């Protein structure tokens, strides 16, 4: 079992749930959270862990190769769970270079630092790269992404993640680095930055603002509660075979418009509003450029090999998520200041 586990991007949405799970699950290990704290990173997500004896935070930038080498030399990490990334598709359309730098160069810097630090001694060591189903491209009405589906990324974000996946596999084949990967579908739950569909809709309903639905709202996503993803990551971390990839998904497909209507109905109930009041806020806006039609995951490999299955059904997960956002107004209000307002203007108002 690894003694010093480096988790990158631990102050972000999924990373914070992974850090919490690992700190609790591995009391004998030291968990190091490395995060640059970009607009998407928020230490408030981990306030409850500040006193934990086996938790450490380091503010650092994965695009800085020297810094990565120095941190490996100082701490001697024996395992890496790599989540740090630029993660929002719309931002990648506005500014591709940032995604290429962080997601590709940043990943290579970590691979190089691990390789130099481990110096061929790979026993008990592991580099786990967390990736996305978007690398597989866009499905039509039928079919599922399997681990054998050919890569066909179509946005700067997914192309940068695909590139990082290829590099991780290249380090396995070329240098024998002990890697494992997973590719997951859309996550939702507490602590997600409100640029993403579900928290954005929740926040706009709360403030009775228009609910922007791209195109006709017919695109389909496969939604998974974030804690179920974190549990899958733990299983792959512990038992995933080296060099292998595991697809993770919710088996829970929703057209965007149906999902937005569901959130409207649940929130009208919770806020004591008249039925249909929030649905009236739906506003069809210009489609996302190159908008992938449908993602859906075949998760049978991780189910059969590692015994993973999601625990949350969508109805209970969505209710839990809405309750969390309604109960954590300060978290949301803090984030919704400054930079986010500028992004919102550019993405939704000036289009
Ligand atoms: P997020 O945007 O919420 O968090 C990303 C974190 O990475 C932030 O804390 C940010 O500060 C940090 N970061 C960014 N650039 C950095 C840098 N240069 N150095 C150090 N830290 C940096 O993202 P998320 O939604 O939690 O996604 C986490 C990972 O999971 C990503 O790799 C993403 O591609 C992948 N993923 C996300 C989803 C999803 O639905 N959100 C699904 C599948 C896979
Ligand atoms: O599939 C996994 C991916 O899921 C992750 O790799 C990404 O990091 C994550 O951001 C997510 O990507 P999506 O682009 O699918 O998520 P997003 O929440 O941005 O959008 C979900 C769907 O809703 C998508 O079809 C676009 C649409 N949408 C989104 C926003 C923000 C709207 O209709 N209106 C909106 O305002």
């Amino acid at each position: 079992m690894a003694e010093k586990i480096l988790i990158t991007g631990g102050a972000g949405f999924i990373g914070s749930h992974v850090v919490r799970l690992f700190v609790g699950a591995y009391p004998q290990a030291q968990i190091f959270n490395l995060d640059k704290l970009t607009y998407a990173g928020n230490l408030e997500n981990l306030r409850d862990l500040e006193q934990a004896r086996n938790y450490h935070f380091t503010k650092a930038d994965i695009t800085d190769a020297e810094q990565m080498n120095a941190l490996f030399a100082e701490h001697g990490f024996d395992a890496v769970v790599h989540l740090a990334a630029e993660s929002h598709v719309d931002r990648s359309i506005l500014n591709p270079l940032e995604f290429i730098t962080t997601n590709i160069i940043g990943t290579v810097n970590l691979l190089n630092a691990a390789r130099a630090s481990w110096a061929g001694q790979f026993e008990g060591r592991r580099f786990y790269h967390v990736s996305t189903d978007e690398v597989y491209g866009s499905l039509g009405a039928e079919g599922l992404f399997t681990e054998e589906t050919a890569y066909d990324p179509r946005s700067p974000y997914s192309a940068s993640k695909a590139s990082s996946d290829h590099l991780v596999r290249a380090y396995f084949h070329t240098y024998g680095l002990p890697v494992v990967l997973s590719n997951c579908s859309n996550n939702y739950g507490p602590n997600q930055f409100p640029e993403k569909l579900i928290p954005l809709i929740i926040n706009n309903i709360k403030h009775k603002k228009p609910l922007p639905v791209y195109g006709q709202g017919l695109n389909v996503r496969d939604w998974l509660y974030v804690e179920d993803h974190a549990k899958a990551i733990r299983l792959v971390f512990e038992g995933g075979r080296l060099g292998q990839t595991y697809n993770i998904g919710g088996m829970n497909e929703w057209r965007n418009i149906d999902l937005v209507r569901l959130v409207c109905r649940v929130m009208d109930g919770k806020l004591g509003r008249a039925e249909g009041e929030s649905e009236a806020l739906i506003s069809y806006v210009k489609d996302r450029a190159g908008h992938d039609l449908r993602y859906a995951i075949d998760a049978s490999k991780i189910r059969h090999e590692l015994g993973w299955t999601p625990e949350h059904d969508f109805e209970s997960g969505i209710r839990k998520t809405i309750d969390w956002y309604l109960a954590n107004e300060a978290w949301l209000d803090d984030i919704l200041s400054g930079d986010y307002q500028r992004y919102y203007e550019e993405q939704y108002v000036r289009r």
Side-chain angles (χ1 to χ4, degrees):
M1 182 59 215
E3 287 172 7
K4 294 188 171 183
I5 303 171
L6 172 65
I7 299 178
T8 71
F13 167 47
I14 301 170
S16 61
H17 290 272
V18 173
V19 167
R20 183 170 298 102
L21 180 66
F22 276 43
V23 166
Y26 306 124
Q28 307 309 326
Q30 298 301 314
I31 311 297
F32 294 83
N33 171 15
L34 183 164
D35 200 296
K36 182 183 173 184
L37 300 181
T38 67
Y39 78 92
N42 186 351
L43 288 179
E44 281 299 316
N45 295 346
L46 295 164
R47 184 49 72 89
D48 55 314
L49 295 186
E50 275 168 10
Q51 303 306 321
R53 195 191 40 81
N54 63 335
Y55 170 68
H56 314 273
F57 173 71
T58 304
K59 186 172 187 302
D61 184 344
I62 60 168
T63 67
D64 182 338
E66 275 180 33
Q67 202 178 24
M68 292 307 107
N69 289 332
L71 285 169
F72 268 81
E74 182 185 347
H75 298 293
F77 307 123
D78 43 29
V80 180
V81 183
H82 175 37
L83 294 111
E86 288 293 337
S87 70
H88 190 40
V89 174
D90 293 322
R91 288 190 191 249
S92 83
I93 295 167
L94 295 172
N95 185 5
L97 194 55
E98 214 167 320
F99 283 68
I100 286 152
T101 311
T102 299
N103 298 356
I104 306 177
I105 308 288
T107 300
V108 173
N109 286 341
L110 285 167
L111 289 165
N112 284 339
R115 184 175 164 237
S117 168
W118 297 344
Q121 304 298 308
F122 295 145
E123 187 60 35
R125 287 173 163 153
R126 177 164 288 234
F127 189 108
Y128 180 179
H129 179 62
V130 175
S131 193
T132 170
D133 61 355
E134 299 200 12
V135 298
Y136 298 121
S138 180
L139 289 166
E142 300 290 320
L144 300 171
F145 295 135
T146 74
E147 289 81 0
E148 273 69 52
T149 303
Y151 274 30
D152 184 23
R154 295 151 41 100
S155 75
Y157 163 69
S158 55
S160 69
K161 290 294 291 187
S163 177
S164 66
D165 292 8
H166 289 317
L167 285 157
V168 171
R169 291 193 188 99
Y171 275 60
F172 173 73
H173 292 292
T174 309
Y175 307 114
L177 202 76
V179 310
V180 65
L181 299 88
S182 60
N183 294 74
C184 189
S185 65
N186 287 61
N187 285 214
Y188 70 99
N191 307 98
Q192 186 168 32
F193 195 88
E195 64 192 351
K196 307 280 168 69
L197 181 67
I198 290 180
L200 187 144
I201 293 298
I202 293 173
N203 185 53
N204 285 15
I205 291 175
K206 192 174 120 189
H207 295 288
K208 299 189 176 179
K209 283 171 61 175
L211 310 179
V213 172
Y214 295 164
Q216 296 176 289
L218 301 180
N219 303 68
V220 173
R221 297 292 182 265
D222 173 2
W223 293 95
L224 177 68
Y225 193 68
V226 62
E227 287 177 5
D228 282 323
H229 186 192
K231 285 178 187 159
I233 287 176
R234 181 182 173 192
L235 288 175
V236 173
F237 178 71
E238 286 184 5
R241 286 180 292 134
L242 294 182
Q244 294 285 313
T245 297
Y246 295 84
N247 278 359
I248 305 168
M251 289 151 275
N252 176 42
E253 293 182 48
W254 284 77
R255 293 192 315 178
N256 292 338
I257 187 61
D258 299 329
L259 170 56
V260 170
R261 288 193 179 121
L262 171 74
V263 177
C264 288
R265 273 199 302 281
V266 175
M267 284 195 66
D268 281 346
K270 287 187 184 292
L271 297 171
R273 293 185 186 165
E275 209 181 307
E277 190 176 331
S278 297
E279 265 197 52
L281 297 169
I282 290 174
S283 158
Y284 293 95
V285 300
K286 188 171 163 216
D287 208 352
R288 174 183 280 174
H291 196 173
D292 290 338
L293 178 65
R294 175 172 165 258
Y295 307 142
I297 282 280
D298 176 349
S300 44
K301 180 174 174 182
I302 187 171
R303 198 167 56 239
H304 291 140
E305 278 193 25
L306 301 175
W308 175 82
T309 179
E311 287 167 22
H312 289 78
D313 64 75
F314 196 51
E315 179 84 22
S316 70
I318 255 319
R319 284 182 178 277
K320 244 168 116 168
T321 304
I322 291 170
D323 286 343
W324 187 86
Y325 281 96
L326 293 178
N328 286 276
E329 287 203 329
W331 183 93
L332 204 49
D333 292 347
D334 252 21
I335 280 180
L336 295 175
S337 58
D339 275 357
Y340 181 70
Q341 288 307 335
R342 277 188 288 282
Y343 165 76
Y344 199 90
E345 279 271 314
E346 187 166 357
Q347 178 67 16
Y348 296 99
V349 183
R350 284 195 254 121
R351 279 155 67 105

